[in-house]
Amino acid sequence: MLDSCKLRGACNLPLVYNKKINTSGTSNADVPLADPGMYQLDITLRRGQSLAARDRGGTSDPYVKFKIGGKEVFRSKIIYKNLNPVWEEKACILVDHLREPLYVKVFDYDFGLQDDFMGSAFLDLTQLELNRPTDVTLTLKDPHYPDHDLGVILLSVVLTPKEGEHRDVVVEDMLEDEEEEDDKDDKDSEKKGFINKIYAIQEVCISVQNILDEVASFGERIKNTFNWTVPFLSWLAVVALCVFIVILYFIPLRYIVLVWGINKFTKKLRCPYAIDNNELLDFLSRVPSDVQVVQYQELKPDPSHSPCKRKKNNLG
């Protein structure tokens, strides 16, 4: 029987951090233990350090899941755009035995998509001393890429045995507080859902703005090619068009298309290390857009303020 709860007074233990334990090793699920009864595991999720970046901007939106025996017993809040998040969240978990380790998994939240895996670790509960607060540093790993460094998660844990009448009181408190937690979670989920929608709308607006900017810039470059904004590039475009027209006059179009297709599909065989590029786009990238023309004019020095001009004026 595993449940997450907030106990009245049970979580208000003094946070004295006097020990760090080693979290590496194998699971203790097969080790025979003589458990006296139910345990209360008080966890304080402190922070993460140097977590993996999963978003295009080089950041992540991490949150943490705690699982025991394959059942999720706690989920933290989401910290947006931060690779060193600070949670400072507390959870009280009732554990009926110590055979199953506490699994910690970190995910990157993606609105409307599957959340990205950021690493996992486990804590062997049999290594904890009873009634003694302990600092724990969990090193996150990916089972498929064990050599990758995915950062660490810092916890503070206290393991307390619960027996007899006190155990019954704990269970009753758990059931009462569960109802309060459900109401609170409903309100928090509504608030988080609204915030997530705002972030999603912002990302969509930024993407649309970038696409429109690229399209407008492409059209401005074509216009500036034929209005002689850069005379050298305009002359080059006119000469290239004239040569193309002459070639079309003497050579049938089907032969030109045939040669172009052969060149395109055999390029990898002839030059396997060549970088794919488009000559037309390369040419247009060298033609300034209207914004770049304005910026160039603002940076262009005024000829009237040049030293040579001043010298001529002084001689005159």
Side-chain angles (χ1 to χ4, degrees):
M1 181 68 181
L2 303 172
D3 287 291
S4 176
C5 62
K6 289 189 176 179
L7 305 175
R8 299 191 186 99
C11 289
N12 298 325
L13 296 173
L15 298 179
V16 181
Y17 308 116
N18 47 22
K19 182 183 178 184
K20 289 188 178 181
I21 68 173
N22 181 16
T23 59
S24 62
T26 58
S27 172
N28 59 351
D30 299 327
V31 180
L33 297 172
D35 295 335
M38 182 175 289
Y39 295 87
Q40 175 183 313
L41 181 63
D42 298 286
I43 305 174
T44 302
L45 174 60
R46 296 294 182 186
R47 63 186 184 275
Q49 293 180 350
S50 304
L51 300 185
R54 292 291 184 261
D55 293 337
R56 289 179 295 178
T59 61
S60 293
D61 305 323
Y63 68 92
V64 181
K65 290 182 180 180
F66 292 158
K67 289 187 175 183
I68 297 181
K71 180 179 180 181
E72 181 178 324
V73 294
F74 176 76
R75 178 182 295 200
S76 73
K77 64 183 178 181
I78 302 169
I79 304 296
Y80 291 96
K81 301 185 184 302
N82 198 331
L83 299 182
N84 298 285
V86 177
W87 284 283
E88 291 297 338
E89 293 188 55
K90 295 181 180 180
C92 298
I93 303 170
L94 292 181
V95 184
D96 57 358
H97 60 78
L98 304 181
R99 300 177 186 276
E100 292 290 342
L102 173 70
Y103 282 95
V104 180
K105 294 185 177 182
V106 185
F107 293 89
D108 169 49
Y109 175 77
D110 289 327
F111 178 76
L113 302 173
Q114 184 177 1
D115 295 343
D116 298 322
F117 178 70
M118 296 178 62
S120 64
F122 74 88
L123 173 62
D124 189 349
L125 301 182
T126 60
Q127 295 185 8
L128 299 177
E129 296 185 24
L130 298 180
N131 301 313
R132 188 173 183 180
T134 307
D135 269 346
V136 180
T137 300
L138 298 176
T139 301
L140 299 176
K141 293 294 182 181
D142 187 341
H144 300 289
Y145 305 97
D147 296 333
H148 290 189
D149 184 11
L150 302 180
V152 297
I153 293 292
L154 304 180
L155 308 174
S156 298
V157 297
V158 181
L159 185 63
T160 308
K162 300 295 179 184
E163 298 181 351
E165 296 180 358
H166 186 59
R167 172 175 173 173
D168 297 335
V169 172
V170 168
V171 174
E172 291 177 2
D173 290 341
M174 178 193 70
L175 296 176
E176 293 177 2
D177 291 334
E178 247 184 1
E179 297 178 359
E180 298 177 2
E181 282 298 312
D182 290 340
D183 296 337
K184 184 178 179 181
D185 289 342
D186 292 339
K187 296 179 181 179
D188 291 342
S189 62
E190 292 178 2
K191 184 177 179 181
K192 290 180 180 179
F194 180 71
I195 295 175
N196 295 337
K197 290 179 181 178
I198 292 177
Y199 276 107
I201 292 173
Q202 288 178 347
E203 292 181 358
V204 171
C205 291
I206 292 174
S207 301
V208 172
Q209 183 179 358
N210 292 335
I211 293 173
L212 294 178
D213 183 65
E214 290 292 333
V215 172
S217 176
F218 186 76
E220 291 171 357
R221 293 174 189 275
I222 295 176
K223 180 196 70 174
N224 292 335
T225 301
F226 295 99
N227 66 0
W228 305 91
T229 301
V230 182
F232 171 74
L233 295 178
S234 298
W235 276 114
L236 185 62
V238 170
V239 171
L241 286 176
C242 293
V243 171
F244 183 70
I245 291 172
V246 172
I247 292 175
L248 281 178
Y249 181 79
F250 289 102
I251 302 176
L253 180 61
R254 61 178 180 272
Y255 292 121
I256 297 176
V257 174
L258 179 62
V259 172
W260 174 83
I262 293 174
N263 174 71
K264 181 176 180 61
F265 291 106
T266 61
K267 191 173 183 179
K268 284 293 183 181
L269 298 177
R270 292 182 286 105
C271 303
Y273 301 104
I275 299 175
D276 292 334
N277 66 324
N278 188 299
E279 288 76 8
L280 180 59
L281 294 179
D282 288 344
F283 174 79
L284 289 176
S285 66
R286 289 163 173 76
V287 180
S289 62
D290 290 348
V291 175
Q292 292 174 333
V293 171
V294 173
Q295 292 174 349
Y296 172 74
Q297 291 175 351
E298 292 177 353
L299 297 175
K300 187 177 181 181
D302 189 354
S304 62
H305 297 291
S306 64
C308 297
K309 187 72 174 179
R310 293 177 183 174
K311 187 175 181 180
K312 290 181 180 178
N313 291 337
N314 293 334
L315 291 176

